[in-house]
Each structure stands twice: as structure tokens, then as C-alpha cells.
Amino acid sequence: MTLYMPLFRSCSSLKTLTQIHAHLLVTGLHNDPQASTKLIESYAQMGSLKSSSNVFESHQTTDPFTWGVLIKGFASNGFEKEAILFYKRMLCDGVKLSGFVFPSILRVCARFGDLGVGEIVHGSGIKGGFEADDVVGTALLSMYGELDCLGDARKVFDEMSARDIVAWSSMVSCLVKNGEAVEGLDLFREMVYEGLEVDSVMMLSVAEACGELGFVELARSIHGYIVRNEIERHDGMLASSLILMYGKCGDLCGAEMLFENAAKSLVSSWTAMISCYKQHGWHKEALEVFARMQKSKVEPNAMTFAGIISSCARLGLRVEGKSCHSYTIRNGLDPEYELLGPMLIELYSECGSAKECKKMVEIVREKNVIMWNMLISVHIREGLLIDASLLLVQMHAMGFFPDSYSISSVLSACATIGLYEFGCQVHSYTVKTGVSDEFVLSSLIDMYSKCGILDSAKMIFSQFHGKSVVIWSSMISGYCHNGNYVEAIGLFDILYSNSLEMNEVTIISIIQACSNLGCLEKGKWVHQNLIGRGLSKDIYIETALTDMYAKLGNIKTARKIFDSMKEKNVVSWSAMIDGYGAHGDTKTAISLFNEMTESGIKPNEIAFLNILSACRHAGYVEEGKLYYNVMTRDYGIIPKPEHIVCIVDLLSRAGDLDESYKVIKSMLSLPDASIFGSFLNGCKIHQRIDLIKQIEDDISNIDLQHLLDAGSYSLLSNIHAEMGNWVEFGQTRSAMTDLGLKKVRGYSTIEND
């Protein structure tokens, strides 16, 4: 049989192995224990586990070595469950154990996460007298370490009669991987003091421990120790670990220096440097290193792409990230998405591709709550709010328990589109499961407030006894959203008197409350308080203050704040334009609008609404028509009813009623009462009763109730009265009475001293 051993060693294909097997059958040598054991091992190495087990079953052997070879073969091919079943069968058959079996089955227990079987194996080892075997001892402490049983691992280590470098390295690795970096380094020092020779495997764990602690001086000391003792690895793993160590310690210069001196032919060095840049948020630099790597013709691996795809996600580079994804598919890198799955989900989530993100979540086998949260987030960002809410249900149905982020996100979606009933169901879930941190409570208050159920929001707030600024801000914002500005200011006063912290949302909400109530003095007090606290220099707060002062008649202060802003966005410009328009200074409003566009800021629909409103009130017909056309033609903004009422009113007052009527007829939907009322008013001013009759003919088949409010009915009846059309006057008044409409009286507010 000895003559066949070189044949087994040179066997490189399953076909050749099958021929050797056939020859052994013909010669009768297949019954030789050595031959059958070698066949079992060789078939397993070729990945043909069925043939391996068939050979084993055809030789009912009690040789523990043969059993060990079979178990090792299944374990090496990732069939941990089957390997454990063979081990249990081995015990049931009464096969005498050997030291060869234990390392394989213990590694299987560690990978499979089966501590129970691992403890049984440990017990069997003690009974069989193998506790003194160094190899078995090292396998035991590795298993306990990987299963987070550090106490058991340390006990095995301490009881070992003789500890070689493998045992020491395994123990240090276990400690570091389980978050005990300090203890791992202490054990390393103890080993050095005992005079044992340190190898590169040990230094991999030591470098990782230094990185976890983040002490750069310690990292340099370890690096110096490696250089002095000339410890190195030919595969470049130690150099890569040192690059990562310096990166985690915040010393990117040290990492870059090591990288530039490392062998550029090793993928591990490139991957380590990319990882360092990514960790520190230097995503562009990470991509630059990847570009250099491609030029050097070094093939990236799955770990390389994990860093690159993550950087693409953070930079919003969807096309580049998808290109990387395609490369990994073509080259068979991580086909099960065990490593790249989370990064690809992050990529498509950050780049706003809900469809591709959902597809990746479905493909990845090992899902987690974080992946579901990213999927929910991208649906919310894309405006797919109902789908985002349904994902929470799907997530729970698949056995994943939503966390506070999942629930807060979905409650936000419910608030936006008014899904009150679903929001209540989510609320019930939080009560049952106890998921109710400050973000969940804040989201519940926000959801109930925006759905108009203010009593429920107040009830949740009243049950909260903490000092979270997030929850206070949500309640104040809720009051403002529902027009309860007095209550909002009252709650703010309580917040202030109790010296509780205020955030940006709190401040903006209270400024808006002052603006809507006409409380200029209270607004000034808030402003002075912000200056004292050093909180006034914020773009959103400054914009809110600009808007408040403009609306409350102090346009000079509003402009002073606006001019002092270091940074302005379209909302800031719109607030100032609106202020000038409301004060009748249309020329300045137009000048400011043009200055905004010249500065490179793209006007949105609110900015156009404000400039159209300014033109409307001042009667700037040509300018109004110009901005209306620019809005639709140059910026592709579809006019909303608010825009249309401005241009209709402007044209109607100026007497261009035919053009005004064209605008109304071009609408994709029916005009609302404000648009119709503006047109009627123009017809009254310019005595164009013919157009009123034309409209009545055009909409004779439409219920006027959808087009008129109390003011429009009154205006129409007055027009009929002035023209002496008393029959039409009576019909209009009767219709108004039948619908229960009453004209709302105008009002204004003043602030008492």
C-alpha cells in the first residue's frame, strides 16, 4: 500500500482519484485500512463528500483515526451539522476516542455555535485522559474564546501543563476578539517575560489589541518591538495589521508611511490603507488609493470592495458603487453576500435607490435590523411612505423586532401622510414591547400632532417626567402645527424657567409662534436670549428671525439679520423677498430675487410664490408674467394653485381678463375658490359680465360648491345686483344659504403692552 501514497499525493482531479479507487477495487487493496482512510480523505479534499461517506460506510471500522478523517473532511467543507452527527454516532458506536478527533470537532462546535456539544466533547476529552494534550487544550480554549466563554477559555489555559506559542497566541487572540484588549496585552507581556519566542501570529493579535485601545504611543512601541526582533510574515498580513493599527490610533501619517514602504503586490496592504481612510471619513482618498491599486494590476478581493463600496455610499456615488457591485458578480467575489451585503444595502440606501436596496435585502441571507432600517429610510426619502410603513409589518412578520429607529422612522412617515390608524397600531406595539425611548415618544407626539389628535399628543407628553429637549421640542412644535401658539409659548416659558436645554427645533418653533401671534416684544426677548446663549448664529434660526421681524413690521432689523448671515439658502432669500413684498417694496424684492439667482442659488416654488405675490400686490404685471414664465419654462416648476391665484389676480386687476381666463382654462385641475374669486373680482372691476356668463356656461355641468366659498358667493351675488340681475342674485343668495355658508369677517391682531 505504501507504493500508492505518491499517487494519492499527486492526484489533482476527481477523475484521477476515481481511477485509483477502481484500481484498488480490482486488486482487492481497497479493504486495507490505510487505503480506505486515504480514499475518505482524498474524496473529501476534492469536495466529493458523498463518495467519501460511501467509502466509509463500506468499511465498518472502529479505528478512531478513520472516524477523525471523515469528521475533518465534512468540517473542512462547511458541513458542520453532519460532522457533529458523525461524532455523536461515533460515541454511540463505542469507538475509542483519540486526540486526532478533538481539534476537528471542537473547531466545528465553534463555527456552528454549539456550546452544548462543545462541552460534551470537553467532557469526553477529560474522561479519555486527553486534558494534558497540548493540541486538544489549544483547540478547547479557541472554541471557548470564539463562543464568548472567556472564563472557560482562561481556565483551560491556566490548567495546561505545557503552553507553547500556539496556546499563548490562541489565548491572546480570544481575549482581544472578545473586547479584552488590555488583558490580552498583559498576557503578551507575561509571555515575553517567560522568555518564549514571539512569532508573527501572536503579533497580529497584539497589533489588533493596540488598535482597539487607540493608544498611538503603545502602537509605536509594538511596531518598534517587531522591527527590533525582525518578526515578519511573507504574506504581508503583519504589515497590513500594523497599517490598520496606526489607522485606528488616529495616526494616518504612520499608516501612510508603512503603506508606502509595504509590498505593493499584496492586496492586503492596499485593502488596509483603504480601510484606514474610510474609517476616518476620508472617502475620496480611499477611492484614490483604489485607483492606484487598479493601475498597479493588483486584483482586489471582497474585503477591498467592502471598503470601496462603503466610501461610494458615503459620497453618493451610485454609478461607481454599482460598477463595483458588477465587478464582484463577474469575478465571483462573495457570491453569498456575507461580507458585501450590508455595504451594498448601505450604498443603494444612501443613493436613494429603494428598488435595488430592497432587492439586496431579499438576497442577503443573514439579515439584521440595521438592514431593515436602511431599507425603511430610503423608502421614506423617496417619498414611498406607505411602502415604508408596510416594511415595518413585513420586518416583524419575518421575526425581526423593530428598534427605536425603525419605529421612529415609520411614525414620521405616518405623520407626513396622516396614517393615523396605522400610527395608533405602532403606538400599541411600543406599549406592548416597551420600546419607548425619547425618540419614539417624540415621534409619537409628532405623529398625533400632525394628524390633528392633539389630546393624544398632550397625554403622551404629560406622562413623560424627564428633561429630554427632544420631547419638549416635539410638543411645542405640535402646538404650533395646530395653531395653538399661546400654548406653545406657555410651554416654552416653563421650559425656560426650569433651565432646561433648548435645541434648534424648540427655538424655531417659538419664533414662528411669536410671528403668527404678532408678539414682537416676545420675539425680541427670544432673540436677545439667543444672543446671550450664543445660539443666534445658525442659518435656520437666523432665517426664522428674519421672517419674524419682516412679518411683524420691522423690516430694517430683518434686513440687518439677513445681511449678517454668513451662509444663506433659498429659504433665507425667500423670507427676505416675502418681507419686502409684504411691505410694498416690490422693487427691492425684485432686486433681491435677481441677486439670489445671480449668486447661484436656484429658486424653488416658495421663492417664486413670494416674488409673484410681491408683483401681485404692487400691480407689476409685466414682471409678474415674466417670473411666471421663467418658473415654468426655465426651472420646470409646475404651477400650484397658490402660484396661479397670484398671476390670475394680477392679470384680472390689470384688466387682462382674457389672458387670465386662458391661465384658468390651462389648469390640469378645477380652479379653487381663491382663483375663481380673484377672476370674479377682476370681472366686477372691469365690467366683464360676458366672461362670467362664459364661465357659467363652461362649468354648467360642474357643482359650483367645489369652486366657490362664502366670499366668492357674496362677490358673485353683488355683481348680479349691480347689473340688475335680481333673479340670479336671489338664486346665488339661496344657494349660499342652502350650503350654510357665511362670509368670514376680516380681523387683525395687535400686541398689548
Side-chain angles (χ1 to χ4, degrees):
M1 186 59 208
T2 307
L3 295 174
Y4 286 88
M5 289 300 111
L7 291 176
F8 278 110
R9 284 194 292 271
S10 63
C11 184
S12 58
S13 67
L14 188 60
K15 181 180 179 181
T16 307
L17 180 60
T18 306
Q19 290 173 345
I20 295 172
H21 188 185
H23 183 77
L24 291 172
L25 286 169
V26 171
T27 57
L29 292 173
H30 65 286
N31 291 316
D32 186 291
Q34 189 178 5
S36 60
T37 301
K38 197 63 184 175
L39 282 169
I40 292 168
E41 180 185 35
S42 299
Y43 274 124
Q45 289 173 347
M46 295 287 181
S48 181
L49 294 176
K50 186 176 180 180
S51 298
S52 182
S53 58
N54 285 341
V55 173
F56 175 79
E57 297 297 348
S58 66
H59 295 82
Q60 295 298 324
T61 179
T62 58
D63 180 12
F65 181 77
T66 304
W67 281 85
V69 167
L70 181 69
I71 291 169
K72 183 180 178 181
F74 273 87
S76 301
N77 283 276
F79 289 83
E80 290 88 1
K81 187 176 180 180
E82 289 76 6
I84 290 173
L85 290 173
F86 273 117
Y87 175 75
K88 290 180 177 179
R89 180 179 156 189
M90 178 182 178
L91 295 180
C92 291
D93 289 355
V95 178
K96 186 179 178 180
L97 296 173
S98 70
F100 178 74
V101 177
F102 286 103
S104 297
I105 196 63
L106 288 171
R107 279 194 292 273
V108 166
C109 293
R111 287 203 301 267
F112 199 58
D114 198 330
L115 179 60
V117 175
E119 289 174 336
I120 292 171
V121 175
H122 189 181
S124 301
I126 294 172
K127 289 178 182 178
F130 296 103
E131 68 271 19
D133 189 310
D134 294 341
V135 177
V136 174
T138 302
L140 276 168
L141 70 88
S142 294
M143 179 199 71
Y144 282 124
E146 289 185 37
L147 296 178
D148 299 334
C149 299
L150 281 181
D152 293 320
R154 189 60 193 257
K155 186 178 179 182
V156 170
F157 179 77
D158 292 338
E159 291 176 354
M160 291 177 72
S161 56
R163 295 176 291 202
D164 58 10
I165 183 62
V166 178
W168 283 91
S169 296
S170 297
M171 192 65 239
V172 171
S173 177
C174 289
L175 290 166
V176 175
K177 281 181 170 56
N178 285 275
E180 299 293 339
V182 173
E183 192 176 345
L185 289 176
D186 288 341
L187 197 64
F188 168 67
R189 291 190 188 95
E190 184 182 334
M191 173 188 161
V192 173
Y193 291 150
E194 288 192 12
L196 273 75
E197 185 177 351
V198 178
D199 65 1
S200 60
V201 176
M202 169 63 83
M203 296 316 299
L204 289 174
S205 298
V206 172
E208 185 180 352
C210 290
E212 293 300 322
L213 293 174
F215 297 144
V216 68
E217 291 302 324
L218 180 61
R220 289 169 182 163
S221 176
I222 293 298
H223 186 191
Y225 179 88
I226 292 171
V227 173
R228 287 194 305 273
N229 290 275
E230 298 180 347
I231 303 169
E232 60 181 349
R233 283 175 66 103
H234 296 295
D235 60 1
M237 287 303 298
L238 185 54
S240 302
S241 295
L242 290 173
I243 292 170
L244 288 170
M245 176 188 72
Y246 276 114
K248 289 180 179 179
C249 292
D251 185 4
L252 278 177
C253 290
E256 288 170 338
M257 191 179 298
L258 263 174
F259 170 69
E260 295 302 336
N261 292 325
K264 295 297 187 295
S265 60
L266 300 173
V267 65
S268 58
S269 302
W270 293 95
T271 303
M273 197 64 241
I274 289 169
S275 179
C276 287
Y277 281 133
K278 180 185 76 72
Q279 183 184 2
H280 286 270
W282 292 25
H283 302 294
K284 289 183 179 179
E285 287 76 5
L287 295 181
E288 287 171 2
V289 171
F290 182 65
R292 285 175 57 193
M293 180 181 181
Q294 289 180 305
K295 289 179 181 178
S296 66
K297 305 299 181 182
V298 176
E299 289 293 325
N301 58 21
M303 189 66 73
T304 314
F305 278 110
I308 290 302
I309 291 172
S310 181
S311 290
C312 288
R314 298 301 173 86
L315 294 172
L317 301 175
R318 179 178 175 274
V319 174
E320 291 80 356
K322 195 167 185 178
S323 176
C324 291
H325 185 189
S326 300
Y327 181 95
T328 63
I329 294 172
R330 289 195 305 271
N331 291 274
L333 301 177
D334 193 26
E336 300 297 324
Y337 293 107
E338 294 176 357
L339 176 63
L340 296 177
M343 282 67 188
L344 287 166
I345 291 169
E346 179 190 17
L347 169 73
Y348 293 126
S349 172
E350 292 294 328
C351 295
S353 182
K355 185 177 180 181
E356 290 172 309
C357 185
K358 187 175 183 180
K359 185 178 179 181
M360 282 308 308
V361 171
E362 291 171 350
I363 291 173
V364 173
R365 290 184 180 179
E366 296 296 325
K367 300 177 180 64
N368 57 38
V369 174
I370 296 173
M371 294 179 186
W372 283 100
N373 287 347
M374 285 192 284
L375 183 58
I376 290 170
S377 294
V378 70
H379 276 79
I380 290 174
R381 286 198 299 273
E382 287 196 19
L384 305 171
L385 303 180
I386 294 177
D387 292 340
S389 302
L390 294 176
L391 282 170
L392 187 75
V393 179
Q394 185 182 347
M395 171 185 179
H396 187 261
M398 293 182 69
F400 296 92
F401 294 98
D403 59 10
S404 61
Y405 184 89
S406 322
I407 293 168
S408 299
S409 300
V410 170
L411 285 172
S412 175
C414 293
T416 303
I417 55 177
L419 284 178
Y420 167 67
E421 292 183 358
F422 188 79
C424 289
Q425 292 175 3
V426 175
H427 186 188
S428 299
Y429 176 83
T430 65
V431 174
K432 291 176 183 177
T433 58
V435 183
S436 57
D437 61 15
E438 62 177 352
F439 299 105
V440 172
L441 293 175
S442 171
S443 298
L444 283 168
I445 292 170
D446 184 59
M447 184 272 295
Y448 282 121
S449 298
K450 288 181 178 176
C451 290
I453 317 298
L454 200 57
D455 288 339
S456 296
K458 287 158 66 176
M459 181 187 70
I460 294 170
F461 179 76
S462 64
Q463 294 172 352
F464 174 73
H465 302 292
K467 295 184 178 181
S468 169
V469 65
V470 177
I471 294 177
W472 281 81
S473 298
S474 294
M475 194 65 247
I476 292 171
S477 179
Y479 277 130
C480 290
H481 182 80
N482 286 274
N484 296 39
Y485 303 115
V486 174
E487 289 84 349
I489 291 175
L491 195 60
F492 173 79
D493 289 339
I494 296 172
L495 179 73
Y496 180 79
S497 62
N498 288 325
S499 301
L500 299 179
E501 185 184 355
M502 291 180 281
N503 65 9
E504 182 185 279
V505 177
T506 320
I507 295 163
I508 292 173
S509 296
I510 206 64
I511 292 171
Q512 290 173 345
C514 293
S515 176
N516 287 304
L517 275 179
C519 297
L520 179 59
E521 292 305 315
K522 184 70 174 181
K524 287 180 178 179
W525 179 86
V526 172
H527 187 188
Q528 291 299 320
N529 193 272
L530 291 175
I531 294 171
R533 292 176 177 233
L535 299 174
S536 61
K537 292 301 177 182
D538 175 273
I539 184 172
Y540 302 105
I541 292 174
E542 288 177 310
T543 299
L545 286 168
T546 301
D547 182 65
M548 181 193 74
Y549 280 115
K551 284 181 177 176
L552 299 184
N554 197 336
I555 194 70
K556 288 184 178 180
T557 304
R559 185 58 189 260
K560 185 178 179 181
I561 294 169
F562 177 79
D563 289 338
S564 68
M565 293 175 69
K566 292 181 179 179
E567 180 186 0
K568 300 181 184 75
N569 58 21
V570 67
V571 182
S572 312
W573 287 91
S574 297
M576 198 66 247
I577 291 166
D578 186 47
Y580 279 117
H583 283 77
D585 192 351
T586 307
K587 287 185 178 179
T588 306
I590 291 173
S591 174
L592 209 59
F593 185 90
N594 294 336
E595 186 182 338
M596 175 185 71
T597 55
E598 288 168 6
S599 68
I601 292 180
K602 184 179 179 181
N604 60 11
E605 57 188 34
I606 301 298
F608 275 110
L609 177 61
N610 291 344
I611 194 64
L612 286 172
S613 180
C615 294
R616 169 193 183 184
H617 291 304
Y620 281 37
V621 179
E622 293 305 317
E623 290 82 353
K625 289 166 68 175
L626 171 67
Y627 287 121
Y628 186 81
N629 291 328
V630 166
M631 177 183 73
T632 55
R633 184 186 65 239
D634 298 347
Y635 291 94
I637 297 174
I638 298 173
K640 290 189 174 181
E642 295 86 352
H643 300 101
I644 294 173
V645 73
C646 285
I647 194 67
V648 166
D649 189 54
L650 178 63
L651 293 170
S652 298
R653 287 176 184 272
D656 195 354
L657 289 159
D658 292 320
E659 185 66 27
S660 179
Y661 189 42
K662 285 181 183 178
V663 173
I664 294 174
K665 291 187 72 174
S666 69
M667 290 180 65
L668 299 176
S669 58
L670 288 173
D672 61 19
S674 59
I675 297 171
F676 199 66
S678 296
F679 184 73
L680 283 176
N681 188 48
C683 292
K684 178 186 175 184
I685 294 170
H686 298 283
Q687 300 292 308
R688 291 293 302 275
I689 307 304
D690 60 306
L691 282 176
I692 294 177
K693 291 181 178 179
Q694 178 66 45
I695 287 179
E696 287 177 339
D697 291 339
D698 288 347
I699 61 174
S700 59
N701 61 333
I702 299 173
D703 189 356
L704 279 176
Q705 183 181 347
H706 298 296
L707 300 181
L708 302 178
D709 59 6
S712 299
Y713 267 109
S714 296
L715 180 60
L716 184 59
S717 65
N718 291 339
I719 292 172
H720 284 307
E722 288 180 11
M723 301 303 297
N725 300 326
W726 298 110
V727 175
E728 289 83 355
F729 170 81
Q731 290 174 345
T732 305
R733 285 289 179 178
S734 297
M736 189 174 176
T737 303
D738 293 340
L739 292 170
L741 297 175
K742 291 183 179 180
K743 189 173 180 181
V744 180
R745 294 180 180 179
Y747 67 92
S748 61
T749 60
I750 60 169
E751 183 179 16
N752 293 323
D753 293 333

